[in-house]
Amino acid sequence: MDAAGLAGRSRAVRALTAVVSGAALLVAVLGFLVPAERPADRPLSALAGAALAAALVAAGQLARLRFRLGRGVVSVSWGEAAFVIGFVVAPRGWLPAATLAGALAGWAVLSWWNSHRNLAEVAHLAGSLSLGAAGATVVAGLVAGDAPVLSTRMTAGLAAGALAYLLITFGLATLTLSLHRDAPARQILLRASYAKVPMFVGNVVVGLAAVRALVDGPLWLLAFAPVLWLLQRTYRFHLRAEEERRMWEAFSAATATLPGGTEAEVARAGLRAALEVFGARRVEIEVHGPGGERRYAEDGPGQDNTLAGLPGPAITRSMAVAGDPVGELTVWLSEPTLPAPRDEAAISAFGDALAGALHDAATRARLADLEQRLASDVTHDRLTGLLNRATLLHDGDRLLRSSERDRPVALLLLDVNDFREVNGTLGHRHGDEVLRVIAERLTELTRDGELVARTGDDEFALLIPAVPTLTDSAARADRPSPLPMALRRARELVEHLIAPMEISSVRLAVEVAVGVAATTAGRADSAELIRRASLALRQAKRQQISVSAFDAGQDAVTTDRLALLAELQDALAADDQIVLHLQPAVDLVTAAPTGVEALVRWRHPRRGQLSPNDFVPAVEHSAELHTAFTARVLDLALAAAGSWHAAGVDVPVSVNVAARSLLDPTFPAQVAEALRRHRAPASRLVLEITESVAVSEERIVDEVLAELRDSGIQLSLDDFGTGYSSLAIVTRAPVDEIKIDRSFVDDMIDSAAAGAVVRGAVELGARLGVRVVAEGVETTEQRAALIALGCPVAQGYHFCRPMPSERIVQALTQLAQAAPDNIRPLRADDAS
């Protein structure tokens, strides 16, 4: 038997190999204990006869013929002829050892020639032949006894011994293949018998004829060469014809039964068929398709390719249909030699049949997927998988009609603020990904019975068919309003959707606006709810707020948020990113500190320290972040003011206020809460506002400013002279301080006009009784000119640079201590 290395074989086969090899070696040793006396009519001496027997065994194995049996390969050789001759010329006890030696020599040559055989295989094969020879010797000896060589009894004994040799070697080969599951036992018996029986008959005839020639006239052996060559060719043709017939029959049956199901079903059937048709050790199928490459593989039964590697040669064939590649088929054959052309042709034909089946399966899958997509596209949005607008209107109307007429319902219309900028900044592909993330988050928040849909490019809708109600003071007591709960639900959506997301390794956040329309099921259809929610959405965008309820007078424009909001959220969550740099304002004559301005900075973990111009605009455009940011700055400023107050320096801290804060009616309460947390009097805080904010026509601005002043908080008019109406502002919004913009201070030495503006501001402050502070003083000349004009207070690099909060107490203390001496102007480096 010719098979793969034992590393890939089952444990039972390895055990059988050990038993056969050990038994053969034992029999060979015991054979030498048998007396070597022979009858006188034997043609050769004992030693020469044993050598000839070993040589004949080796020659018989070298001239073997092989045929595939399942996943194994069976060899048929001239072993019976070698036994018949060896029984006559060699001592009977020596014949097992001679057979063992000859088989080892023959298979050693074959192993060297093929470079695939291992020692365990050779031992197994040689041991099987040696045991066959031992059994045959016993049977022939019992039948023939000491009869003359050319007697009828000897002929019968030699035939009986040859039959025993066949049965023993055939039985061991069948047992090995069965244990390894290379083929069913019945298939082994039938096919091996069909291949071996004709050769067995020829082997016995050749052996008996050779014995007669040795006895009567050795020259007759020369005539055996052409006869043996013809027999060898006849045997080979017989085996090859039978093997090809069987293979093509199996091929036809296998390709005919390839299923018409899915790709996986076809691939698995193809694997099993290839293992059966080609008797392969392993088969792999690689399928190429729109979804990438998919690999299917299967090993032959009983094959442990993890240990054995992949024995035998591999044949790989590309599979294509009408020039379109389908994949690759790789078959590892069991034979340790190069594949024959018929194997390559058969595998190519099988690959073509398998390619057609896989192509058909892919076509069926594409058609099914196309039908499913077409059906889905009619009712769903292709990008997000949500319902589309038409389906929302249809299903929404059906849902409303099936509800009680007085059941509270609501529709939330959600829009991503300035989504065009997301597309313009990140590209449309990433913008689509943002929309998919939003759709997923909306789906997570959707409850049973609710409908969520994409109604526009960056617009989504949530229909709530049953809204819990709370009694609204604006509604009649007998009709609870669904609006408060609908607004609460809208705020929950906003809070969930503004959380940072990661798109193609870019972390960003978007902001949304929600329009809310609430009514009862019998008073509006889906289209009307969408119209009302759309008006509310426009109002939310116009007021730059997150949520707005429907009002007939609503109208709006779109506002926008950038991806910087995500990082700002992280910064506010951290303790060390949003920090203050503090710059004292000093008396121009004595250099004594009169106040400290808080300048916010962002210690960005990736971009380094950022100035307010880099991030404050984004904060001011964010309804959600602005409140938290303002609270953080107030806390930092009041904490710093508390530190220098504890050191004995009693000066206020100034904080810039954004326009959004003055539009927030709750802002005075937020400031009061910050003062309470830090146990600071209102006089310790100065809020700086710009002229452009103070001249706003919004009534809420006047109300907020008045409430702040009434609470004792000081107001400072920043950047005086650069706004819309510098003179009118001081009467419309009374302030405690005027800060002259640094642009006028820079030019006052060389520009008479700038000097006139500074002089006018100083005089205006004196007449109104408010402090005047000159910003941006950097030179001694500027300081002297301001003193000459009567300006009392200034700040700038000439006195102190902005510094971290941990250094401000020391700087203020030094300024306060040096002020009475009035020795020299304080330089920025002196304050460090």
Side-chain angles (χ1 to χ4, degrees):
M1 191 193 78
D2 183 2
L6 294 178
R9 299 249 145 189
S10 66
R11 182 177 300 176
V13 174
R14 293 196 292 270
L16 179 62
T17 297
V19 171
V20 168
S21 301
L25 185 61
L26 179 62
V27 169
V29 172
L30 293 176
F32 285 106
L33 301 179
V34 177
E37 293 84 2
R38 301 182 304 153
D41 60 345
R42 295 301 188 259
L44 298 175
S45 66
L47 187 60
L52 178 59
L56 291 174
V57 170
Q61 299 307 311
L62 291 175
R64 81 202 188 288
L65 296 175
R66 298 181 301 161
F67 66 93
R68 188 179 295 135
L69 189 57
R71 276 158 291 280
V73 177
V74 174
S75 295
V76 291
S77 66
W78 294 87
E80 294 83 1
F83 164 74
V84 169
I85 298 172
F87 185 84
V88 172
V89 301
R92 297 178 182 180
W94 293 9
L95 193 55
T99 302
L100 181 63
L104 288 173
W107 284 110
V109 173
L110 291 174
S111 299
W112 169 79
W113 182 261
N114 293 327
S115 301
H116 280 82
R117 191 75 51 194
N118 61 36
L119 294 178
E121 283 186 50
V122 172
H124 184 103
L125 296 167
S128 299
L129 298 178
S130 180
L131 291 178
T137 300
V138 172
V139 171
L142 292 175
V143 175
D146 291 330
V149 173
L150 299 180
S151 65
T152 303
R153 183 179 177 185
M154 178 59 71
T155 301
L158 292 176
L163 180 62
Y165 178 90
L166 170 66
L167 294 177
I168 292 173
T169 55
F170 182 78
L172 289 174
T174 302
L175 178 60
T176 303
L177 290 171
S178 298
L179 290 176
H180 192 253
R181 293 183 294 168
D182 278 324
R186 183 175 180 275
Q187 179 184 355
I188 296 172
L189 291 173
L190 291 176
R191 292 204 55 228
S193 299
Y194 180 85
K196 182 61 181 176
V197 168
M199 192 171 185
F200 166 77
V201 176
N203 285 353
V204 173
V205 172
V206 168
L208 293 175
V211 168
R212 178 168 291 275
L214 281 171
V215 174
D216 290 345
L219 290 178
W220 284 103
L221 294 176
L222 297 176
F224 276 74
V227 174
L228 293 176
W229 181 81
L230 288 175
L231 285 175
Q232 182 80 357
R233 298 283 294 178
T234 302
Y235 293 158
R236 179 171 297 172
F237 177 80
H238 170 75
L239 291 177
R240 181 171 296 175
E242 169 60 18
E243 186 171 357
E244 290 187 356
R245 182 190 64 79
R246 181 209 62 81
M247 184 183 69
W248 288 110
E249 286 180 354
F251 175 89
S252 177
T255 53
T257 57
L258 285 176
T262 64
E263 174 191 290
E265 293 172 344
V266 173
R268 285 193 291 269
L271 292 172
R272 292 191 295 269
L275 290 172
E276 173 64 26
V277 171
F278 305 112
R281 296 296 175 185
R282 179 180 174 86
V283 178
E284 288 186 2
I285 298 173
E286 185 176 284
V287 182
H288 303 161
E293 298 180 354
R294 295 166 297 282
R295 187 179 298 273
Y296 304 88
E298 187 170 338
D299 294 324
Q303 188 70 26
D304 186 2
N305 286 324
T306 303
L307 297 175
L310 295 176
I315 299 178
T316 299
R317 287 291 179 267
S318 297
M319 298 185 294
V321 174
D324 296 330
V326 175
E328 288 185 349
L329 169 66
T330 302
V331 178
W332 277 268
L333 299 177
S334 59
E335 300 183 50
T337 58
L338 293 177
R342 59 188 176 83
D343 292 325
E344 297 180 351
I347 291 175
S348 295
F350 184 83
D352 292 340
L354 182 59
L358 289 171
H359 184 270
D360 292 344
T363 302
R364 288 190 296 271
R366 285 194 295 269
L367 288 175
D369 182 63
L370 180 60
E371 291 177 357
Q372 185 178 2
R373 282 207 309 267
L374 290 175
S376 177
D377 288 346
V378 174
T379 58
H380 290 75
D381 173 59
R382 181 177 298 181
L383 177 64
T384 63
L386 301 179
L387 299 178
N388 57 27
R389 186 184 187 92
T391 307
L392 176 65
L393 292 173
H394 178 272
D395 292 356
D397 286 344
R398 179 173 51 81
L399 194 61
L400 294 176
R401 287 194 299 268
S402 64
S403 302
E404 299 177 2
R405 292 182 56 83
D406 58 349
R407 172 179 290 181
V409 298
L411 189 136
L412 312 183
L413 193 63
L414 178 150
D415 184 84
V416 182
N417 289 338
D418 284 344
F419 187 71
R420 290 182 180 178
E421 187 164 351
V422 175
N423 277 333
T425 303
L426 302 178
H428 287 276
R429 183 169 62 88
H430 293 135
D432 290 346
E433 186 62 27
V434 171
L435 293 178
R436 279 191 285 267
V437 173
I438 292 175
E440 292 173 0
R441 293 181 177 180
L442 281 174
T443 303
E444 293 172 358
L445 295 174
T446 302
R447 302 168 185 170
D448 291 341
E450 299 177 349
L451 301 179
V452 60
R454 183 186 179 202
T455 55
D457 289 342
D458 57 345
E459 187 179 84
F460 301 85
L462 176 64
L463 178 62
I464 307 174
V467 183
T469 57
L470 295 175
T471 301
D472 189 352
S473 60
R476 298 202 321 242
D478 59 343
R479 183 179 297 174
S481 171
L483 187 58
M485 296 302 294
L487 290 173
R488 178 183 298 180
R489 185 72 182 280
R491 294 187 182 96
E492 291 176 358
L493 292 182
V494 171
E495 182 179 353
H496 192 70
L497 294 176
I498 66 172
M501 64 183 71
E502 186 167 318
I503 304 297
S504 298
S505 301
V506 177
R507 197 157 184 264
L508 56 89
V510 296
E511 287 211 341
V512 298
V514 182
V516 180
T519 184
T520 56
R523 299 186 61 183
D525 58 12
S526 299
E528 177 62 16
L529 284 174
I530 292 177
R531 188 191 70 81
R532 295 179 183 181
S534 178
L535 292 175
L537 176 62
R538 293 175 187 173
Q539 178 70 5
K541 286 180 169 290
R542 187 181 71 83
Q543 294 182 347
Q544 299 184 11
I545 59 178
S546 300
V547 179
S548 178
F550 167 72
D551 186 349
Q554 292 171 345
D555 195 6
V557 293
T558 304
T559 59
D560 166 36
R561 306 292 181 271
L562 296 176
L564 190 63
L565 294 174
E567 294 176 330
L568 280 169
Q569 291 182 19
D570 294 340
L572 290 174
D575 295 327
D576 58 348
Q577 292 192 33
I578 303 300
V579 298
L580 294 183
H581 279 202
L582 302 157
Q583 185 177 37
V586 300
D587 187 285
L588 273 169
V589 177
T590 66
T594 62
V596 178
E597 182 177 3
L599 306 170
V600 68
R601 299 288 186 269
W602 182 3
R603 292 177 181 167
H604 196 284
R606 180 171 50 85
R607 297 165 58 185
Q609 182 163 288
L610 302 181
S611 66
N613 292 335
D614 296 325
F615 61 94
V616 168
V619 173
E620 293 179 351
H621 281 88
S622 170
E624 302 298 324
L625 287 180
H626 181 263
T627 300
F629 180 84
T630 302
R632 172 67 62 82
V633 173
L634 286 174
D635 282 337
L636 293 174
L638 291 173
S643 66
W644 67 67
H645 178 75
V649 181
D650 190 12
V651 295
V653 63
S654 299
V655 177
N656 287 280
V657 176
R660 182 183 290 274
S661 296
L662 298 182
L663 294 171
D664 184 2
T666 66
F667 179 64
Q670 297 172 21
V671 176
E673 175 61 20
L675 291 170
R676 185 194 63 79
R677 285 197 303 270
H678 293 273
R679 298 180 180 180
S683 59
R684 194 175 293 173
L685 179 62
V686 178
L687 298 180
E688 296 185 5
I689 60 175
T690 61
E691 290 181 28
S692 58
V693 175
V695 299
S696 171
E697 295 297 329
E698 293 284 345
R699 179 181 301 177
I700 187 63
V701 174
D702 293 336
E703 295 173 356
V704 170
L705 290 175
E707 188 173 351
L708 290 171
R709 282 185 56 83
D710 291 345
S711 66
I713 297 170
Q714 303 179 64
L715 300 178
S716 174
L717 187 60
D718 199 12
D719 301 334
F720 182 81
T722 61
Y724 300 97
S725 179
S726 298
L727 296 178
I729 182 59
V730 296
T731 59
R732 181 170 181 266
V735 296
D736 301 281
E737 181 181 82
I738 294 175
K739 301 189 78 170
I740 304 172
D741 187 76
R742 65 176 304 149
S743 61
F744 300 108
V745 176
D746 288 341
D747 297 334
M748 64 179 294
I749 302 300
D750 301 322
S751 171
V757 171
V758 174
R759 181 182 299 107
V762 171
E763 293 177 357
L764 179 64
R767 292 181 179 274
L768 294 176
V770 299
R771 296 187 304 274
V772 177
V773 180
E775 293 182 298
V777 178
E778 297 184 357
T779 66
T780 303
E781 291 78 6
Q782 291 173 345
R783 177 181 183 182
L786 289 169
I787 292 175
L789 292 175
C791 183
V793 181
Q795 71 181 78
Y797 284 10
H798 180 69
F799 304 102
C800 281
R801 292 177 178 270
M803 63 188 69
S805 58
E806 59 266 22
R807 294 168 49 192
I808 189 63
V809 175
Q810 180 184 359
L812 292 175
T813 303
Q814 291 177 354
L815 287 171
Q817 292 175 352
D821 299 333
N822 196 18
I823 298 175
R824 57 181 174 81
L826 188 63
R827 303 296 298 181
D829 52 3
D830 295 327
S832 61

